[in-house]
């Protein structure tokens, strides 16, 4: 039986009835009193749109960022769980990485932070363990509003710490945090999964519900750096596999992104997706087969790129 590792994005929340992303953006503009000052346009990358919203608000209303992020945290905490959240827990994966801020995957708000260290802003070690499942909130969480990764500056800081952790080593004062870089520790066979980043180099990861837009600079850097280590530098062994799930109806229009995923050593799996609930149930069923080592050869045809 395999220990599953999952990376899950916000799309699973869209099965639940409630506020849309555009509704949330309008609520943010209203909260900041700048509804007539900022135009919501799909051509604006969201991390830069967030900077526009915050910088406009701070100049006009002297709003504090911690108040803005607390408001966003309260709105995302209103997301209601659905049967896919329950089905994911029923799979009993060993680790769940998520870009989501709320705790619908856990099923309830965790009482204890089980991270190696308590992070106020960034999320290299941010972990909650519930019912023997490790939940890694890689872009922050609602209990710590300032950790919510939204703006361009926050992405830059997160990426800086990620690169230090992987390439050059860390400077944390906690003696339990490894000082050596992940690359050096892997070379010495000393990987203990202190961070969610370790899993990207050591465990098979199944990615779904995540659009992987190019604004996710931290994740694209991690994919690229992993692939460079595997095929170019070859300083360490990178034996794990990454799988990205996508509705088959989006394959043609997403070819540009799938080509980039292929180049970065990511296997793409397509499943029928016209019905969102059925699509995610299909993924859950496939993951259950993988966990119990019962995946039939016929399932291999769903892999577009290997």
């Amino acid at each position: 039986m395999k220990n599953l590792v999952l990376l899950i994005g916000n799309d699973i929340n869209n099965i639940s009835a409630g506020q849309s992303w555009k509704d949330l953006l309008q609520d943010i503009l209203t909260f900041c009193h700048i509804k007539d000052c900022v135009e919501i346009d799909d051509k604006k990358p969201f991390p830069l749109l967030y900077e526009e919203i915050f910088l406009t608000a701070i100049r006009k209303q002297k709003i504090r960022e911690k108040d803005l992020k607390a408001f966003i945290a309260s709105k995302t905490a209103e997301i209601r769980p659905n049967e896919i959240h329950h089905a994911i827990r029923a799979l009993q994966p060993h680790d769940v990485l998520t870009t989501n801020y709320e705790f619908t995957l856990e099923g309830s708000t965790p009482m204890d932070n089980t991270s190696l260290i308590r992070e106020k802003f960034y999320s290299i070690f941010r972990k909650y363990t519930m019912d023997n499942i490790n939940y890694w909130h890689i872009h922050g969480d609602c209990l710590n509003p300032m950790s919510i990764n939204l703006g361009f500056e926050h992405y830059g800081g997160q990426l800086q710490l990620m690169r230090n952790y992987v390439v050059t080593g860390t400077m944390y004062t906690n003696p339990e945090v490894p000082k050596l870089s992940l690359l050096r520790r892997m070379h010495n066979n000393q990987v203990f999964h202190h961070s969610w980043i370790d899993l990207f180099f050591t465990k098979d990861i199944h990615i779904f519900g995540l659009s992987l837009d190019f604004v996710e600079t931290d994740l694209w850097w991690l994919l690229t750096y992993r692939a460079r280590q595997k095929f170019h530098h070859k300083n360490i062994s990178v034996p794990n596999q990454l799988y990205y799930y996508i509705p088959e109806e989006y394959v043609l229009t997403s070819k540009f992104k799938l080509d980039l995923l292929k180049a970065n050593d990511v296997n793409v799996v397509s499943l029928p997706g016209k019905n969102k609930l059925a699509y995610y149930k299909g993924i859950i069923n496939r993951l259950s087969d993988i966990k119990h080592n019962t995946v039939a050869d016929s399932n291999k045809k769903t892999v577009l790129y290997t």
Side-chain angles (χ1 to χ4, degrees):
M1 184 176 291
K2 280 193 173 184
N3 286 329
L4 291 175
V5 180
L6 315 177
L7 170 54
I8 303 172
N10 184 66
D11 191 57
I12 64 168
N13 293 335
N14 292 330
I15 297 171
S16 304
Q19 192 177 51
S20 71
W21 179 246
K22 286 191 175 182
D23 291 335
L24 175 59
L25 288 177
Q26 290 300 327
D27 286 347
I28 292 171
L29 296 182
T30 300
F31 175 80
C32 294
H33 305 288
I34 55 170
K35 205 165 186 178
D36 299 326
C37 304
V38 174
E39 180 182 358
I40 303 299
D41 190 318
D42 291 340
K43 296 184 181 67
K44 296 179 180 178
F46 180 74
L48 287 173
L49 174 61
Y50 173 83
E51 298 293 349
E52 180 186 5
I53 291 170
F54 173 63
L55 293 172
T56 301
I58 199 172
R59 291 164 67 187
K60 288 186 172 292
Q61 304 294 334
K62 302 189 186 305
I63 192 172
R64 297 184 302 175
E65 187 168 26
K66 73 174 187 177
D67 294 331
L68 172 57
K69 287 198 171 184
F71 172 76
I72 294 170
S74 68
K75 299 297 289 186
T76 55
E78 294 174 1
I79 296 172
R80 301 272 67 84
N82 57 59
E83 61 182 284
I84 297 302
H85 298 102
H86 295 288
I88 290 167
R89 289 194 296 276
L91 276 174
Q92 279 292 298
H94 192 271
D95 295 273
V96 175
L97 290 62
T98 182
T99 55
N100 300 346
Y101 315 128
E102 86 295 333
F103 299 103
T104 48
L105 284 163
E106 287 91 335
S108 61
T109 302
M111 300 299 293
D112 297 310
N113 184 316
T114 53
S115 310
L116 191 59
I117 63 172
R118 299 294 180 92
E119 297 168 295
K120 183 177 180 180
F121 294 106
Y122 302 112
S123 302
I124 307 302
F125 306 99
R126 190 175 304 279
K127 180 178 70 169
Y128 299 92
T129 303
M130 297 179 67
D131 299 322
N132 297 315
I133 303 173
N134 298 317
Y135 295 91
W136 305 84
H137 285 262
I138 69 178
H139 282 173
D141 68 76
C142 290
L143 291 179
N144 303 275
M146 286 304 292
S147 73
I148 294 178
N149 193 354
L150 293 165
F152 204 66
E153 192 278 334
H154 201 137
Y155 270 95
Q158 172 91 350
L159 180 50
Q160 180 181 16
L161 292 183
M162 288 172 61
R163 196 176 194 285
N164 289 346
Y165 184 85
V166 174
V167 182
T168 61
T170 68
M171 300 292 290
Y172 296 99
T173 56
N174 187 328
E176 294 185 47
V177 178
K179 299 296 186 291
L180 292 178
S181 69
L182 175 60
L183 294 184
R184 180 63 63 87
R185 287 185 287 120
M186 289 188 69
H187 185 75
N188 297 337
N189 294 314
Q190 296 176 335
V191 181
F192 302 107
H193 301 134
H194 298 294
S195 166
W196 61 270
I197 298 170
D198 300 338
L199 301 172
F200 262 82
F201 292 83
T202 59
K203 300 292 183 180
D204 292 355
I205 299 180
H206 300 268
I207 306 167
F208 60 94
L210 182 66
S211 64
L212 264 182
D213 289 337
F214 299 132
V215 299
E216 307 281 10
T217 50
D218 53 342
L219 292 176
W220 278 101
W221 173 82
L222 192 57
L223 292 176
T224 300
Y225 195 84
R226 173 186 174 277
R228 280 176 170 264
Q229 282 299 320
K230 185 170 184 176
F231 301 115
H232 177 51
H233 301 299
K234 300 182 180 179
N235 295 324
I236 57 171
S237 172
V238 184
N240 64 319
Q241 297 290 321
L242 306 179
Y243 299 90
Y244 180 77
Y245 292 78
I246 184 173
E248 61 185 22
E249 292 79 10
Y250 296 161
V251 167
L252 289 179
T253 56
S254 301
K255 184 179 182 300
F256 65 99
K257 181 166 64 178
L258 302 186
D259 287 344
L260 295 173
L261 288 171
K262 175 187 175 182
N264 283 281
D265 191 44
V266 178
N267 303 291
V268 178
V269 182
S270 68
L271 296 172
K274 288 184 178 179
N275 180 298
K276 192 180 291 290
L277 179 59
Y279 166 69
Y280 284 114
K281 284 183 176 180
I283 293 176
I284 298 297
N285 290 337
R286 192 174 196 277
L287 293 174
S288 179
D289 289 342
I290 290 170
K291 179 174 182 176
H292 296 95
N293 300 313
T294 59
V295 177
D297 287 343
S298 60
N299 280 342
K300 293 180 180 178
K301 67 183 180 182
T302 61
V303 179
L304 298 175
Y305 303 117
T306 56

